[in-house]
């Protein structure tokens, strides 16, 4: 349904003041300055939207009618400005036209930039035709038809053309989904599938285009050395030494490559001017073929091209002039040149080849004619082995004689597919010129599909016509040795075979120049995107935009293909690269269609995800059909490039389909995870790491992140969080800086996970919110990792340890496990390698098996791999320690854990005086701190009150007396007065007096005494057994229900872990996390 827009003009009368005109002039001067500087000055790679939407505007010109939107104008443009940008939008091309130089009268070279003027026929159809029709049509299609037969050749052509047609449909959908800047298939794939896929496929397109240049140069040299000037060969091509021809191809091909590279280096304007000439050669050659077919149907075949057969063996007729054993000259029987090839001596006493003696010579027409019925003989394949003699029969003999036409390679169906496929490549030629088109979104689909349809008809008709007109042995003669070294397809041409020879020669030259022109620009586009750092040097260019370094690399790689020396060997290589490209074009279209992203709105409507999947499957199948080992190599190459970009490449956000696919997959997985809690077998610690930041907003304990990565090894969920005090509006910049610093620390410590910084009024509320709401759906944390509040006794404020205890309570209430690392700065980093030591587990109470699981996970990491695991448990007087040890060993055996077990007996003894002394000091210190804190608060309030009253009195009358201390005390209550007297009394009390006090054991809280006794006794045992352990894991006792004993709780934990270097206090989540079942 079309959308109607109504533009309502709004008259704006300028405010009549002298500042208005001045504001207009300032804005105009500002705009001129910006224009002179350039829209992208100082920025090498502008954002994609910078050419479309600009927020530059003059606030004054909108007048008072738009004053309501003044604030929005700072970040968003007015609609009138936006529509003006859209209407005047032009895409500056980055193709060949961009780099043509034009000299002005003053001699200064300038870059001529032509606007997009080409239509569908000139801009898309003809370039695609020129790239699709080429070397394979003239040099190998007849050989494919003769070897595979008409039916199998039609199958090969149909499969390849179907692949390109399906790819063109997918490409049309992508190309019409918005404006496609110049860059062709690389740009489309990278923006549709992301930088990783885009870079990998972009390099495949680049290498495919480069090797295509090698193939065209080799084809050019084959035509030159075989059909135009065979005498120019440097090495003699012997039948026993096929490398002779290859060496000639290498020498002349290198020479040709140097010339073509110099032509491209001087300027591509010469290549562009010659493009029409090369295309004309192709079209004239094809017309000559069809004219020859018509002529063979109307007129009897020309006797110029005849084939000589000895029995059923095809002879090379370049060494004799008559297909006869003897001839009659002056009534004298004389041996012919052919006789001399097989016989020695005269007619009377000749010693001849046995096969020559017993078989007769037959001479047949090379071109039988359209109505001759030869089509039935060429209907099915005639595959042959290496060095088999070409014959009309399917079964042929082997020979080493140079007189016969031999198969130079073992032929089979898949080989022919790999050799033929390059003939249908070139469908991207139109999309590569998207910047030069008047209407790319209409021209690219129409021109590309028309070109594929036209070339498919040409190929299919040529297969049938070649099989219906030309003799089978001539078709299977790859180099035309049976017809005096004439190109097989040229025997059918009218009016002369030289039309085909010359036309195909210039066609291959033009295609080679186009490849050397296009490939460096693909590499330059990849390099300028910055997704592969090692390619950055190839993004540089000359002053006129020519990618010099990329051209040199392209020429070097092209030389590698030329050194292969055989068109048949190079063709499957470039087939792999192009098929990989086509595979990902179809994948991109299918992914975008299935995701139904809001931005996926192509103007080309004749596409479907099933067609894209069919094209993708066909591309993959053709890869393995053509050459399975080349297919594996190209897939491995693409995978390595993908991982390299993922690991070292620049981060790019292009709104690609893979990101959307990941989001959909994540959404589906999260919904599935939320349906049921994870089974015990799948349980692993999903960590919420609570970090503290220093004054510079850096990570205070980076070793906590190291321990996280050692515990997780990249598996499961890790959320690293921190809290800033204040309001988000005031500390937004600090929050972003903190998040950046945390991410940098995570990258340094190789901690994989997510980062989140919360701004809250206080840290306690911030950590509480994180514990409650961190994660999403079923992907939530089940464990909290934090550091022990070091120096909590010396801290001026008690907030640190109070927040710590409140965090313990909240994790317990949320049924989450808690891990507290004490002395975290002494924990090993990821670069450390601990020598043989032990990880000691003190299993006091059952916590669901978390104490057993954590050492096992730690020992998976290379830092803790050499450490052994020991498990200690405590037995009381009534317990059977021997039986406990056996039971525990059996339990560990079923858990598949390798650990040493030891049962420690703690005898119930009297509470020592040391325990009472520690308890007394703890309680007195707690009481003293409470009173000192209260006194400090009261003094602060009193000082503030006096300051306020003094300020008020000075502000009124100077002669008024300052309120006295007595008047101030009149506002006190009775409780405040008693508190002040106690403060004066306690001010003279020192710490020495506290420790000199007579212990009043009878007044102590017996609960605290018992707990201190447990902490002291257990600490003695732990220190005795685990003093040298690399890590000690202990059950963490729960905090008291009465908050009045929080400080005592901290003291208990301090006593419990005293004397140990590295301690991990563990508090379970009241659920089983380890099981003996499979």
């Amino acid at each position: 349904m079309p959308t109607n827009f109504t533009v309502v003009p709004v008259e704006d009368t300028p405010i009549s003041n002298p500042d208005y005109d001045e504001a207009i002039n300032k804005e105009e001067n500002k705009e001129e300055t910006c224009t002179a500087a350039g829209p992208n000055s100082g920025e090498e790679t502008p954002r994609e939207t910078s050419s479309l939407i600009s927020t530059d505007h003059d606030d004054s010109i909108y007048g008072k009618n738009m004053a309501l939107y003044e604030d929005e104008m700072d970040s968003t443009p007015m609609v009138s400005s936006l529509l003006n940008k859209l209407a005047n939008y032009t895409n500056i091309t980055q193709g060949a036209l961009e780099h043509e130089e034009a000299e002005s009268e003053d001699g200064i070279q300038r870059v001529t930039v032509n606007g997009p003027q080409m239509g569908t026929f000139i801009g898309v159809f003809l370039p695609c035709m020129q790239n699709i029709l080429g070397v394979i049509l003239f040099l190998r299609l007849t050989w494919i038809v003769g070897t595979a037969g008409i039916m199998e050749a039609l199958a090969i052509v149909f499969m390849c053309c179907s692949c390109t047609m399906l790819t063109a449909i997918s490409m049309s959908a992508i190309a019409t989904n918005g404006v496609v800047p110049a860059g062709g298939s690389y740009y489309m794939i990278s923006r549709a599938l992301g930088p990783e896929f885009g870079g990998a496929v972009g390099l495949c397109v680049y290498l495919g285009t480069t090797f295509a240049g090698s193939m065209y140069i080799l084809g050019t040299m084959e035509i030159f050395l075989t059909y135009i000037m065979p005498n120019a060969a440097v090495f003699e091509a012997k039948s026993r030494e096929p490398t002779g021809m290859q060496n000639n191809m290498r020498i002349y091909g290198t020479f040709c490559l140097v010339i073509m590279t110099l032509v491209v280096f001087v300027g591509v304007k010469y290549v562009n001017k010659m493009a029409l000439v090369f295309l004309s050669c192709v079209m004239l050659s094809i017309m000559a073929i069809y004219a020859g077919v018509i002529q063979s149907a109307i007129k009897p075949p020309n006797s110029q091209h005849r084939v000589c057969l000895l029995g059923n063996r095809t002879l090379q007729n370049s060494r004799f002039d008559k297909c006869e054993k003897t001839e009659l000259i002056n009534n004298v029987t004389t041996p012919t040149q052919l006789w001399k090839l097989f016989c020695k001596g005269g007619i009377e006493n000749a010693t001849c080849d046995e096969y020559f003696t017993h078989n007769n010579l037959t001479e047949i027409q090379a071109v039988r004619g359209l109505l001759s019925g030869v089509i039935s003989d060429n209907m099915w394949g005639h595959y042959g082995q290496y060095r088999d003699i070409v014959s009309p029969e399917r079964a042929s003999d082997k020979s080493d004689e140079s007189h016969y036409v031999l198969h130079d390679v073992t032929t089979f169906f898949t080989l022919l597919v790999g050799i033929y496929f390059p003939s249908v490549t070139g469908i991207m030629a139109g999309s590569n010129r998207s910047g030069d088109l008047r209407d790319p979104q209409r021209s690219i689909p129409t021109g590309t599909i028309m070109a594929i349809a036209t070339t498919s008809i040409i190929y299919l008709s040529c297969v049938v016509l070649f099989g219906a007109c030309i003799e089978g042995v001539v078709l299977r003669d790859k180099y035309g040795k049976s017809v005096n070294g004439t190109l097989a397809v040229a025997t059918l041409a009218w009016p002369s075979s030289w039309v085909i020879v010359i036309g195909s020669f210039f066609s291959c030259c033009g295609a080679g120049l186009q490849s050397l022109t296009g490939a460096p620009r693909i590499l330059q586009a990849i390099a300028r995107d910055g997704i592969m750092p090692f390619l950055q040097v190839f993004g540089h260019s000359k002053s006129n935009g020519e990618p010099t370094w990329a051209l040199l690399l392209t020429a070097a790689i092209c030389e590698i293909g030329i050194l292969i020396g055989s068109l048949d060997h190079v063709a499957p290589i470039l087939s792999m690269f192009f098929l990989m490209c086509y595979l990902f074009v179809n994948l991109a279209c299918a992914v975008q269609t299935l995701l139904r992203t809001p931005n996926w709105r192509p103007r080309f409507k004749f596409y479907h995800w099933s067609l894209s999947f069919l094209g993708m499957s066909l591309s993959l199948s053709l890869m393995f059909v053509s050459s399975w080992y080349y297919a594996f190599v190209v897939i491995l190459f693409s995978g390595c490039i993908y991982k390299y970009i993922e690991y070292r490449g620049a981060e790019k956000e292009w709104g690609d389909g893979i990101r959307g696919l990941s989001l959909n997959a994540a959404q589906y997985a999260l919904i599935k995870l939320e349906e049921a809690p994870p089974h015990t077998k799948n349980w692993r610690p999903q960590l919420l790491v609570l970090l503290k930041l220093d004054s510079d907003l850096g990570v205070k304990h980076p070793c906590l992140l190291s321990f996280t990565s050692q515990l997780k090894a990249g598996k499961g969920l890790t959320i690293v969080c921190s809290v800033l005090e204040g309001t988000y509006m005031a500390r937004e910049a600090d929050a972003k800086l903190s998040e950046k610093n945390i991410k940098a620390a995570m990258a340094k410590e190789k901690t994989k996970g997510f980062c989140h910084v919360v701004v809250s009024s206080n840290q306690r509320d911030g950590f509480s919110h994180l514990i409650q709401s961190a994660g999403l759906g079923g992907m939530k944390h089940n464990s909290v990792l934090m550091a022990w509040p070091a120096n909590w006794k010396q801290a001026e404020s008690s907030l640190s340890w109070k927040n710590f205890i409140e965090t313990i309570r909240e994790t317990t209430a949320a049924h989450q496990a808690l891990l507290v690392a004490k002395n975290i700065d002494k924990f090993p980093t990821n670069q450390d390698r601990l020598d043989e030591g032990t990880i000691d587990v003190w299993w006091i109470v059952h916590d669901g098996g978390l104490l057993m699981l954590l050492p096992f996970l730690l020992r998976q990491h290379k830092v803790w791999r050499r450490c052994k695991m020991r498990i200690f448990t405590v037995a009381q007087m009534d317990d059977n320690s021997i039986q406990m040890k056996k039971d525990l060993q059996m339990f560990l055996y079923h858990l598949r854990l390798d650990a040493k077990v030891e049962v420690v007996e703690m005898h119930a003894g009297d509470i020592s005086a040391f325990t009472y002394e520690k308890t007394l000091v703890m309680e007195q210190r707690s009481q003293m701190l409470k009173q000192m804190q209260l006194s400090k608060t009261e003094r602060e309030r009193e000082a503030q009150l006096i300051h306020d009253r003094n300020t008020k009195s000075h502000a009124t009358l100077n002669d008024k007396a300052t309120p006295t201390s007595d008047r101030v005390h009149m506002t006190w209550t009775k409780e405040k007065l008693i508190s002040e007297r106690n403060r004066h009394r306690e001010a003279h009390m020192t710490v020495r007096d506290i420790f000199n006090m007579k212990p009043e054991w009878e007044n102590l809280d017996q609960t605290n005494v018992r707990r201190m006794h447990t902490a002291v006794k257990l600490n003695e045992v732990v220190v005795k057994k685990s003093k040298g352990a690399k890590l000690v894991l202990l059950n963490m006792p729960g905090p008291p229900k009465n908050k009045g004993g929080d400080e005592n709780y901290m003291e208990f934990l301090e006593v419990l872990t005293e004397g140990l270097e590295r301690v991990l206090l563990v508090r379970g989540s009241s659920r089983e996390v380890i099981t003996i079942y499979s």
Side-chain angles (χ1 to χ4, degrees):
M1 179 177 180
T3 304
N4 298 324
F5 291 95
T6 303
V7 181
V8 181
V10 179
E11 295 183 358
D12 183 20
T13 304
I15 303 173
S16 60
N17 57 27
D19 297 332
Y20 181 78
D21 295 334
E22 183 180 355
I24 293 290
N25 294 332
K26 286 182 179 180
E27 190 66 27
E28 290 177 353
N29 294 333
K30 178 180 177 181
E31 186 174 347
E32 291 175 1
T33 304
C34 296
T35 305
N40 299 320
S41 58
E43 184 176 356
E44 184 177 354
T45 306
R47 296 190 308 172
E48 295 176 21
T49 58
S50 61
S51 62
L52 180 62
I53 298 177
S54 174
T55 58
D56 296 338
H57 54 265
D58 185 359
D59 294 340
S60 61
I61 64 174
Y62 294 126
K64 59 185 179 181
N65 290 326
M66 296 299 168
L68 183 61
Y69 297 96
E70 286 179 350
D71 295 335
E72 284 77 3
M73 292 177 192
D74 294 333
S75 57
T76 56
M78 292 294 293
V79 173
S80 57
S81 174
L82 174 63
L83 293 178
N84 184 49
K85 295 287 185 181
L86 288 171
N88 296 326
Y89 175 73
T90 58
N91 184 20
I92 297 178
T93 66
Q94 296 180 3
L97 292 177
E98 178 186 2
H99 306 291
E100 292 188 10
E101 299 176 357
E103 284 197 18
S104 60
E105 295 179 357
D106 54 1
I108 300 176
Q109 292 183 347
R110 291 186 175 88
V111 177
T112 301
V113 180
N114 298 328
Q117 298 294 329
M118 291 189 292
T120 302
F121 185 77
I122 299 294
V124 180
F125 181 77
L126 291 183
C128 287
M129 290 281 291
Q130 181 181 1
N131 282 268
I132 295 174
L133 300 174
V135 59
I136 302 296
L137 172 64
F138 301 117
L139 295 183
R140 292 294 181 269
L141 187 58
T142 52
W143 176 67
I144 292 173
V145 173
T147 304
I150 295 176
M151 298 303 295
E152 294 184 23
L154 287 175
I156 294 173
V157 174
F158 179 77
M159 284 193 302
C160 296
C161 292
S162 298
C163 178
T164 55
M165 180 61 77
L166 293 172
T167 303
I169 293 173
S170 300
M171 183 190 69
S172 300
I174 298 174
T176 58
N177 186 49
V179 178
V180 178
S185 57
Y186 162 69
Y187 183 91
M188 291 188 297
I189 296 173
S190 60
R191 269 56 179 182
L193 292 180
E196 294 85 2
F197 282 106
V201 180
L203 278 184
C204 287
V205 175
Y206 165 71
L207 292 175
T209 307
T210 304
F211 277 103
S214 302
M215 184 187 71
Y216 293 132
I217 292 175
L218 289 173
T220 303
M221 292 301 100
E222 182 177 318
I223 295 172
F224 177 75
L225 294 174
T226 306
Y227 307 113
I228 298 178
M229 292 186 64
N231 296 327
V234 178
F235 295 93
E236 183 180 357
K238 298 180 180 179
S239 61
R240 295 178 182 270
E241 299 177 2
T243 56
M245 183 63 180
Q246 293 181 357
N247 290 333
N248 292 326
M249 301 272 282
R250 290 164 183 153
I251 293 175
Y252 282 94
T254 302
F255 182 71
C256 181
L257 173 64
V258 172
I259 295 177
M260 288 185 176
T261 304
L262 289 176
V263 171
V264 175
F265 181 79
V266 170
V268 297
K269 61 180 180 180
Y270 303 109
V271 179
N272 293 331
K273 290 179 180 179
M274 294 291 291
L276 187 59
V277 176
F278 297 141
L279 179 60
S280 301
C281 293
V282 175
M283 302 311 296
L284 286 175
S285 300
I286 294 174
M287 292 173 62
I289 294 173
Y290 283 106
V293 172
I294 296 173
Q295 189 260 354
S296 70
I298 298 175
K299 188 178 177 181
N302 189 358
S303 61
Q304 180 181 357
H305 301 293
R306 304 179 70 85
V307 180
C308 184
L309 298 177
L310 176 61
N312 63 349
R313 297 180 178 182
T314 308
L315 297 175
Q316 298 184 22
N317 59 5
S318 59
R319 299 187 179 186
F320 56 89
D321 53 356
K322 293 183 179 181
C323 186
E324 297 176 356
K325 292 183 180 181
T326 59
E327 60 180 342
L328 191 63
I329 302 178
N330 298 326
N331 295 323
V332 178
T333 303
T334 307
T336 61
Q337 294 178 349
L338 181 59
W339 173 282
K340 296 177 182 179
L341 294 176
F342 290 92
C343 299
K344 294 180 180 179
I347 297 178
E348 294 80 4
N349 56 355
T351 303
C352 298
D353 180 80
E354 183 179 358
Y355 190 86
F356 179 79
T357 305
H358 293 88
N359 290 275
N360 298 323
L361 292 171
T362 307
E363 192 173 21
I364 60 175
Q365 293 283 350
V367 179
R368 301 273 296 274
L370 183 62
L371 305 178
S372 63
V374 72
I375 188 172
S376 60
D377 298 331
N378 296 328
M379 190 64 67
W380 304 106
H382 293 72
Y383 297 101
Q385 298 294 319
Y386 174 65
R387 304 202 66 80
D388 278 357
I389 300 174
V390 176
S391 67
E393 306 294 334
R394 286 185 172 84
S396 57
D397 304 325
K398 289 184 180 295
S399 176
D400 292 332
E401 296 291 338
S402 60
H403 316 311
Y404 301 112
V405 178
L406 306 177
H407 289 285
D408 64 337
V409 66
T410 300
T411 54
F412 43 90
F413 180 79
T414 57
L415 173 70
L416 302 182
V417 174
I419 294 176
Y420 172 76
F421 188 81
S423 65
V424 297
T425 58
I427 63 173
M428 302 288 183
S431 61
N432 290 342
R433 301 189 179 199
S434 58
D436 302 329
L437 301 175
R438 185 183 303 113
D439 187 3
Q441 297 193 6
R442 190 181 72 174
S443 297
I444 290 177
T446 305
T448 304
I449 294 175
M450 284 177 58
I452 294 175
T454 303
T455 53
S456 298
I457 294 173
I458 291 175
Y459 279 123
L460 292 172
S461 62
C462 284
V463 167
V464 176
L465 294 177
F466 290 163
C469 295
I470 303 176
E471 179 63 39
V473 292
V474 179
L475 292 174
R476 288 186 289 280
D477 184 6
K478 185 186 294 185
Y479 302 108
K481 295 179 180 180
S482 61
V483 285
N484 293 318
T486 304
L487 187 62
V489 68
T491 60
L492 187 62
W494 183 88
S496 172
S497 60
W498 285 102
V499 176
I500 299 290
V501 174
I502 301 300
S504 60
F505 177 80
F506 284 108
S507 171
C508 293
C509 287
L513 285 172
Q514 292 291 342
S515 298
L516 290 177
T517 303
R521 282 162 179 78
I522 298 175
L523 183 62
Q524 185 184 41
I526 300 173
R528 286 184 173 178
D529 267 344
I531 58 177
M532 280 178 276
F534 72 92
L535 292 179
Q536 288 182 354
V537 66
F538 301 108
H540 302 148
S541 58
K542 294 193 302 183
S543 58
N544 66 332
E546 286 294 328
T548 307
W549 291 107
L551 177 61
L552 293 178
L553 179 64
T554 302
I557 298 175
C558 191
E559 175 64 17
I560 296 174
I562 291 174
L563 291 178
I564 295 175
S566 173
L567 186 149
D568 298 335
H569 294 158
V570 175
I573 298 176
L574 67 98
S575 296
M576 294 300 111
F577 289 120
F578 280 115
L579 281 168
M580 179 65 72
C581 172
Y582 297 164
L583 185 150
F584 281 102
V585 169
N586 287 290
L587 177 62
C589 181
V591 168
Q592 296 281 19
T593 305
L594 291 176
L595 288 179
R596 298 179 181 177
T597 53
N599 191 53
W600 180 248
R601 303 184 300 273
R603 291 188 179 274
F604 181 77
K605 302 300 182 181
F606 305 100
Y607 69 94
H608 194 265
W609 64 266
S610 59
L611 295 178
S612 300
F613 268 113
L614 182 60
M616 183 177 63
S617 304
L618 191 55
S619 300
L620 186 63
S621 301
L622 286 175
M623 287 179 65
F624 284 93
V625 166
S626 302
S627 177
W628 63 268
Y629 45 89
Y630 279 155
F632 276 120
V633 171
V634 172
I635 291 174
L636 181 63
F637 170 79
S638 302
C640 292
I641 297 298
Y642 179 94
K643 296 304 293 184
Y644 173 80
I645 297 175
E646 188 180 47
Y647 179 68
R648 293 293 301 275
E651 294 183 1
K652 299 286 184 180
E653 177 53 55
W654 289 331
D656 52 88
I658 295 299
R659 180 63 61 89
L661 187 63
S662 301
L663 290 174
N664 279 17
Q667 177 189 7
Y668 176 80
L670 288 173
I671 293 175
K672 295 293 291 183
L673 284 175
E674 203 171 15
E675 293 179 356
H679 193 271
T680 304
K681 292 185 289 186
N682 297 326
W683 195 95
R684 65 168 58 245
Q686 317 286 1
L687 290 180
L688 174 69
V689 184
L690 303 181
L691 281 182
K692 290 292 185 68
L693 302 178
D694 55 22
S695 57
D696 297 329
L697 301 180
V699 177
K700 193 173 183 180
H701 302 295
C703 285
L704 192 63
L705 295 176
S706 299
F707 183 72
T708 302
S709 62
Q710 296 161 16
L711 186 63
K712 301 287 293 180
K715 304 295 191 300
L717 175 69
T718 301
I719 306 175
V720 182
C721 299
S722 187
V723 176
L724 298 179
E725 292 188 356
T727 61
Y728 184 74
M729 297 297 295
R731 305 203 64 181
E732 178 187 1
D734 291 342
K736 293 181 179 179
L737 178 60
S738 302
E739 192 166 336
K740 180 181 178 182
N741 293 338
I742 293 175
K743 288 182 178 179
M746 291 173 65
K748 182 179 179 181
E749 301 299 335
K750 298 181 180 179
T751 303
K752 297 180 180 179
F754 306 99
C755 172
H756 192 40
V757 176
V758 173
V759 180
S760 180
S761 58
N762 56 74
Q763 285 198 346
R764 178 175 176 272
D765 291 344
F767 285 133
S768 176
H769 296 156
L770 288 172
I771 292 172
Q772 296 177 57
S773 60
L776 180 64
M779 202 65 176
K780 293 181 67 69
H781 62 278
N782 55 27
S783 306
V784 177
L785 174 62
M786 61 190 303
W788 174 267
N791 303 323
W792 62 275
K793 291 184 179 180
Q794 289 78 21
E796 295 182 1
S797 174
S798 61
L799 286 177
S800 62
W801 58 267
K802 286 185 177 179
N803 291 340
F804 174 75
I805 296 177
E806 287 301 318
T807 302
I808 298 175
R809 289 194 175 101
E810 286 173 354
T811 53
T812 304
H815 300 288
Q816 296 174 4
L818 177 65
L819 311 178
V820 178
K822 190 177 181 185
N823 302 327
I824 184 60
D825 294 329
K826 296 182 180 180
F827 276 58
T829 63
N830 290 328
Q831 288 73 33
D832 297 334
R833 299 293 182 271
L834 296 180
D835 297 332
E836 292 186 1
T838 60
I839 300 176
D840 290 355
V841 177
W842 285 84
W843 194 18
I844 311 300
V845 295
H846 182 59
D847 59 351
L850 185 58
L851 275 174
M852 309 287 187
L853 186 61
L854 292 177
F856 170 78
L857 296 176
L858 281 175
R859 293 180 66 235
Q860 306 302 310
H861 198 273
K862 51 190 174 182
V863 174
W864 303 89
R865 189 164 294 161
R866 296 182 180 178
C867 296
K868 304 296 182 182
M869 179 178 171
R870 295 194 302 179
I871 296 181
F872 297 90
T873 187
V874 178
Q876 302 297 327
M877 286 294 297
D878 299 336
D879 296 330
N880 187 345
S881 58
I882 298 177
Q883 187 62 36
M884 283 181 60
K885 184 175 182 179
K886 291 182 179 180
D887 294 341
L888 183 55
Q889 288 175 340
M890 182 59 65
F891 181 59
L892 292 177
Y893 175 78
H894 288 303
L895 290 177
R896 290 91 64 198
L897 294 176
D898 185 15
K900 182 180 177 182
V901 176
E902 188 171 342
V903 178
V904 178
E905 296 182 354
M906 289 185 62
H907 300 287
D910 295 334
I911 299 176
S912 64
F914 176 76
T915 301
Y916 281 108
E917 191 69 31
K918 292 279 290 185
T919 308
L920 178 62
V921 171
M922 178 187 69
E923 290 191 355
Q924 290 180 345
R925 178 182 180 279
S926 177
Q927 187 66 23
M928 183 188 69
L929 288 176
K930 289 179 181 178
Q931 292 176 354
M932 291 177 64
Q933 183 67 24
L934 179 63
S935 301
K936 180 181 178 182
T937 304
E938 292 296 339
R939 286 198 303 273
E940 290 176 352
R941 290 179 181 176
E942 181 63 27
Q944 184 65 32
L945 182 61
I946 294 174
H947 175 74
D948 294 343
R949 291 184 178 277
N950 286 339
T951 304
K952 183 177 180 181
S953 62
H954 285 294
T956 55
L957 296 175
N958 295 330
D959 55 350
K960 286 189 176 182
T962 303
T964 61
S965 172
D966 295 335
R967 185 174 181 181
V968 172
H969 281 287
M970 288 176 63
T971 62
W972 288 14
T973 62
K974 181 178 179 180
E975 291 77 6
K976 288 185 178 182
L977 183 60
I978 296 174
S979 174
E980 180 66 17
R981 290 175 180 175
N982 291 335
R983 182 179 64 80
H984 288 293
R985 187 182 304 113
E986 294 168 358
H988 303 286
M989 182 181 295
T990 63
V991 177
R992 181 184 299 274
D993 296 330
I994 295 176
F995 282 97
N996 290 334
M997 290 176 60
K998 182 179 179 180
E1000 301 175 359
W1001 294 350
E1002 64 276 4
N1003 296 328
L1004 293 176
D1005 187 350
Q1006 294 303 311
T1007 302
N1008 289 338
V1009 173
R1010 291 194 304 273
R1011 291 179 176 175
M1012 182 62 73
H1013 174 68
T1014 303
V1016 171
K1017 295 291 291 182
L1018 190 57
N1019 177 258
E1020 291 177 358
V1021 176
V1022 173
V1023 171
K1024 180 180 178 182
K1025 296 287 185 181
S1026 304
K1027 180 71 174 179
K1030 300 299 182 182
L1031 179 63
V1032 177
L1033 282 77
L1034 273 170
N1035 282 118
M1036 184 178 188
K1041 297 181 180 179
N1042 182 13
K1043 294 186 179 182
D1046 286 355
E1047 189 179 1
N1048 298 338
Y1049 173 71
M1050 295 293 294
E1051 191 71 37
F1052 294 147
L1053 295 181
E1054 195 73 57
V1055 172
L1056 180 63
T1057 58
E1058 190 175 2
L1060 300 175
E1061 183 180 10
R1062 301 188 189 105
V1063 182
L1064 184 65
L1065 298 172
V1066 181
R1067 183 164 177 79
S1069 59
S1070 70
R1071 66 158 292 174
E1072 294 293 330
V1073 300
I1074 194 168
T1075 179
I1076 65 175
Y1077 300 103
S1078 60

